Amino acid sequence: MGKTQSQVDEEKFKLFRRHCDKEPVCIDAWCPGADENEVPEEDLLPGEIKAVTFRVGCYTVRSALRVYTIQDSDWYLAEVREPADKGDVELVRKDFMLDEGDREAVRVKSGIFASWGNQYAFTGYIPPWRDKLRITHEISAKHNSNRDKQFTYICRAADPVNGKWFEYIGDIYAIKERETVSDESASLLIYFVFTSDFYGVDTWYRFAPDGRISTFVSDLIHPERP
């Protein structure tokens, strides 16, 4: 699964580098679809449709498609309330569960895990539950030094419905501060993007071996207006 330093997306990575006083070294990276282990249905959390785990460096990452109730269908942060109940989860599952071939086509087209449920982004179909539910791509992780430890929630991206905004989770790396640092002391680095007609924000989430989470956020990007 690993990437060499020369294969890291430097255009994205430079945002993180600006906040470092040392030259970070990438030791591993997420490759979507590779070496993923599906979480058994009985182990899914409330609101989850599906989840997988995979290794990135010294971390196990849990990547889930999860449904939440929302306050306002037009609010770009989705105003998350509580995980959806089993009835609503099944409603979403039946509405969007694709066969293996279709799911793969959607995943490749978008490049993000959340698109397991994002069929309407390509078809224009508006789900009947859009005003009360939101599908999210949720990332949690734990360091492999303690396999019995619970996963720590890090971030989520919500699927858009109204076309006014879009957000997704992209690259996931294991990085260490410098070459001489042990691989087991690496941090997990997760790239998150929000964009709309008015502005966009790039964010790196850093999950350290001691469980601390820090964020590195870009300046707002204002596109040229006609």
Side-chain angles (χ1 to χ4, degrees):
M1 188 187 294
K3 282 188 179 182
T4 65
Q5 189 71 12
S6 62
Q7 292 175 307
V8 171
D9 190 327
E10 291 295 338
E11 185 63 26
K12 299 175 184 175
F13 208 48
K14 67 182 181 182
L15 165 63
F16 176 71
R17 289 185 189 278
R18 287 207 306 265
H19 297 274
C20 296
D21 57 1
K22 300 181 177 66
E23 187 68 13
V25 177
C26 176
I27 62 171
D28 200 3
W30 173 45
C31 181
D35 300 321
E36 293 179 347
N37 298 302
E38 187 167 343
V39 176
E41 187 167 352
E42 60 269 22
D43 293 334
L44 294 178
L45 300 177
E48 288 185 344
I49 296 176
K50 192 168 187 176
V52 297
T53 60
F54 49 86
R55 292 280 298 271
V56 180
C58 52
Y59 293 88
T60 298
V61 179
R62 193 178 191 278
S63 185
L65 187 68
R66 197 172 191 183
V67 183
Y68 284 90
T69 61
I70 57 173
Q71 180 75 28
D72 183 347
S73 62
D74 289 328
W75 181 238
Y76 76 92
L77 289 179
E79 284 296 302
V80 168
R81 287 182 170 179
E82 299 291 338
D85 60 31
K86 290 183 179 180
D88 284 336
V89 170
E90 191 59 27
L91 176 67
V92 176
R93 188 198 305 270
K94 288 181 178 179
D95 210 359
F96 286 111
M97 187 51 66
L98 310 175
D99 63 36
E100 291 299 327
D102 290 339
R103 186 187 303 128
E104 178 67 13
V106 171
R107 185 191 66 77
V108 170
K109 193 170 185 177
S110 69
I112 60 170
F113 183 96
S115 289
W116 275 345
N118 204 12
Q119 184 181 12
Y120 48 79
F122 307 114
T123 66
Y125 169 68
I126 304 299
W129 39 262
R130 61 164 291 179
D131 291 331
K132 68 172 185 175
L133 301 172
R134 180 75 79 245
I135 302 172
T136 66
H137 176 200
E138 193 162 287
I139 294 292
S140 55
K142 62 181 178 180
H143 195 277
N144 290 331
S145 61
N146 189 346
R147 296 183 181 274
D148 296 329
K149 189 176 181 179
Q150 296 295 314
F151 284 93
T152 298
Y153 164 78
I154 300 173
C155 61
R156 70 168 64 93
D159 270 358
V161 173
N162 56 25
K164 297 177 182 178
W165 55 268
F166 181 74
E167 61 187 22
Y168 69 92
I169 293 168
D171 296 356
I172 303 177
Y173 299 127
I175 60 102
K176 55 186 183 180
E177 290 185 349
R178 56 188 179 276
E179 192 64 52
T180 54
V181 172
S182 71
D183 288 357
E184 291 301 306
S185 297
S187 294
L188 193 69
L189 201 61
I190 301 162
Y191 181 65
F192 172 90
V193 175
F194 170 85
T195 185
S196 71
D197 291 339
F198 303 102
Y199 65 91
V201 180
D202 290 351
T203 303
W204 283 106
Y205 289 86
R206 183 176 185 175
F207 182 56
D210 62 5
R212 289 181 298 174
I213 299 172
S214 52
T215 57
F216 307 90
V217 183
S218 72
D219 297 330
L220 298 184
I221 304 166
H222 295 271
E224 293 183 5
R225 305 298 294 176

